[in-house]
């Protein structure tokens, strides 16, 4: 059975597009991976160029992704909803329609460091080093997620 994973950040242009591309690249094609933002600032646009360039440097193409905002139907359509930070967590829980939906929402780095609620930092106002740091964090945790959902 194919598993469906949604990656969520604030803008859906920096972190969650990277998380989507990285996890998809580690999984067979029948696993659905998508991403969305809690905000609607950038709906319809491609990911931030700095995320596109960073992903390309490591062999992952995210250039064709389009930004969208999370919706209530995502809680039905996806099995796991991974958020990047505690602010995303609060915002996503606030629109979760029921308890089963809430159970699907997880802070992504808890897959590496259980219960610590560590955050994938928002690189938007920083430099390329910040994007590379985010890439490496997500690559490490997506390795764990891929192994877990394939097993
Ligand atoms: P993201 O980063 O949540 O990783 O996509 C951000 C992108 C845009 C903004 C904030 C964070 N913004 O304020 O426009």
């Amino acid at each position: 059975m194919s598993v469906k994973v949604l990656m969520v950040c604030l803008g859906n242009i920096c972190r969650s597009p990277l998380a989507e591309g990285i996890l998809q690249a580690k999984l067979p094609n029948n696993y659905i991976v998508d991403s969305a933002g809690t905000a609607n600032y950038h709906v319809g646009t491609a990911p931030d160029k700095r995320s596109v360039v960073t992903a390309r440097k490591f062999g992952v193409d995210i250039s064709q992704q389009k930004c969208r905002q999370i919706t209530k139907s995502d809680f039905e359509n996806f099995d796991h909803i991974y958020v990047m930070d505690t602010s995303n967590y609060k915002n996503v829980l606030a629109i979760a329609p029921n308890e089963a939906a809430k159970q699907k929402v997880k802070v992504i780095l808890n897959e590496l460091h259980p219960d610590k609620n560590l955050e994938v930092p928002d690189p938007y106002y920083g430099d390329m080093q910040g994007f590379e740091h985010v890439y490496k964090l997500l690559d490490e945790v997506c390795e764990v997620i891929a192994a877990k959902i394939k097993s």
Side-chain angles (χ1 to χ4, degrees):
M1 200 187 74
S2 85
V3 175
K4 297 181 191 148
V5 178
L6 183 68
M7 300 295 193
V8 177
C9 63
L10 172 61
N12 190 215
I13 56 166
C14 298
R15 292 166 293 177
S16 59
L18 283 172
E20 174 188 337
I22 291 166
L23 184 63
Q24 187 78 76
K26 293 182 191 297
L27 289 171
N29 280 339
N30 60 320
Y31 290 80
I32 307 273
V33 186
D34 194 8
S35 65
T38 58
N40 65 359
Y41 317 138
H42 303 281
V43 169
T45 70
D48 189 289
K49 281 212 172 59
R50 296 166 295 176
S51 281
V52 174
V53 167
T54 303
R56 189 181 297 136
K57 181 173 164 183
F58 295 99
V60 174
D61 181 12
I62 64 165
S63 64
Q64 300 309 305
Q65 291 183 26
K66 284 268 176 301
C67 174
R68 71 175 182 89
Q69 189 174 28
I70 189 171
T71 67
K72 278 204 163 65
S73 57
D74 287 321
F75 294 94
E76 284 162 40
N77 295 339
F78 290 90
D79 304 298
H80 303 286
I81 299 174
Y82 286 112
V83 299
M84 301 296 130
D85 62 32
T86 49
S87 164
N88 305 153
Y89 187 73
K90 284 190 200 112
N91 290 331
V92 172
L93 278 197
I95 58 162
N98 53 47
E99 194 52 38
K102 287 182 185 166
Q103 296 296 327
K104 293 182 177 182
V105 186
K106 293 151 206 152
V107 175
I108 193 166
L109 289 182
N110 282 352
E111 296 291 341
L112 272 177
H113 308 283
D115 304 322
K116 293 262 192 305
N117 295 326
L118 297 180
E119 304 196 328
V120 178
D122 182 353
Y124 188 64
Y125 294 104
D127 57 16
M128 285 302 286
Q129 266 189 322
F131 280 78
E132 193 152 329
H133 175 61
V134 164
Y135 188 96
K136 288 176 177 167
L137 281 176
L138 290 172
D139 191 51
E140 196 184 355
V141 73
C142 285
E143 198 66 39
V144 174
I145 293 170
K148 199 166 155 176
I149 64 183
K150 276 194 289 182
S151 68

